Amino acid sequence: MRRFPVTVRSALATTVVAGGLWLLGGSVSKAQLNFTLANSSPHVPVGTTFQFFATLTNTDPNNSISLDSDSFTYTDPNATSNFTDNFANTPLTLNPSGQSGDSWTGDLFDVTVPANYVPGTVYTGSYTINFTDNGVSSSVTQNFSVTVVSKASTPELSSLLGLGLLVAGGVWSYRRHRRYEVVED
């Protein structure tokens, strides 16, 4: 009788056990939560706040998923004051896939870029959601980055007022000059 090496026997045994569980209705799959950020690498002007919108979707057709907790890392030296965690806005659970309430989309966290930050600087981080699916605890993580850019220049109100007066004066002068030309003919 020919004997297979130990590694082949282990692989065959694992396949047989997994197949048997599948046939008996057991589950060998991992917890199933999709976590996507709408924009994971925004360019954020100095002096503004960017809202990171996320979608959380339960892809398990049989079980609800409990959203337990979250954690994050962020390389900004002022992360405690520039990072706003909105995990409390997520639902406590997501219904099984295919049912109403199987996903959530919303503002998961915000990052503020102070006015004194240097344009071109890139800050990186990760956001992790801990959850339970059918009694199995797991987590999903998304990486993100924030690139600091210059604030778009917008004219000040006094500049717009001055420009408006200049244009109005030009129109008035043009009409006045045209009126005298018409009268002389």
Side-chain angles (χ1 to χ4, degrees):
M1 177 172 168
R2 183 170 178 195
R3 294 183 59 101
F4 291 107
V6 173
T7 54
V8 173
R9 283 187 291 190
S10 296
L12 286 172
T14 302
T15 304
V16 169
V17 169
L21 285 173
W22 178 73
L23 288 173
L24 294 173
S27 174
V28 295
S29 65
K30 291 183 72 175
Q32 303 170 7
L33 177 66
N34 284 345
F35 171 24
T36 336
L37 291 173
N39 183 354
S40 62
S41 301
H43 289 75
V44 182
V46 294
T48 63
T49 298
F50 185 83
Q51 297 174 316
F52 281 86
F53 278 82
T55 299
L56 306 174
T57 304
N58 180 357
T59 60
D60 184 337
N62 301 313
N63 301 297
S64 293
I65 287 181
S66 171
L67 303 176
D68 301 327
S69 63
D70 70 323
S71 61
F72 68 88
T73 62
Y74 186 46
T75 61
D76 180 343
N78 300 309
T80 55
S81 61
N82 298 338
F83 192 96
T84 305
D85 189 1
N86 300 320
F87 184 73
N89 296 334
T90 64
L92 296 175
T93 60
L94 296 173
N95 290 333
S97 176
Q99 295 183 17
S100 177
D102 66 350
S103 69
W104 173 85
T105 299
D107 179 11
L108 190 58
F109 61 96
D110 304 334
V111 172
T112 299
V113 175
N116 62 344
Y117 275 31
V118 177
T121 305
V122 178
Y123 296 101
T124 59
S126 64
Y127 194 95
T128 300
I129 296 176
N130 303 306
F131 63 96
T132 305
D133 178 6
N134 196 25
V136 177
S137 295
S138 193
S139 63
V140 287
T141 300
Q142 282 291 319
N143 295 321
F144 65 94
S145 66
V146 172
T147 302
V148 179
V149 296
S150 298
K151 189 164 188 147
S153 61
T154 54
E156 294 182 22
L157 181 58
S158 59
S159 299
L160 291 174
L161 182 60
L163 181 61
L165 289 173
L166 184 62
V167 169
V171 169
W172 178 77
S173 176
Y174 174 77
R175 286 186 173 175
R176 186 172 155 229
H177 180 43
R178 280 293 289 161
R179 191 171 355 146
Y180 287 122
E181 285 179 1
V182 173
V183 173
E184 290 177 6
D185 288 335

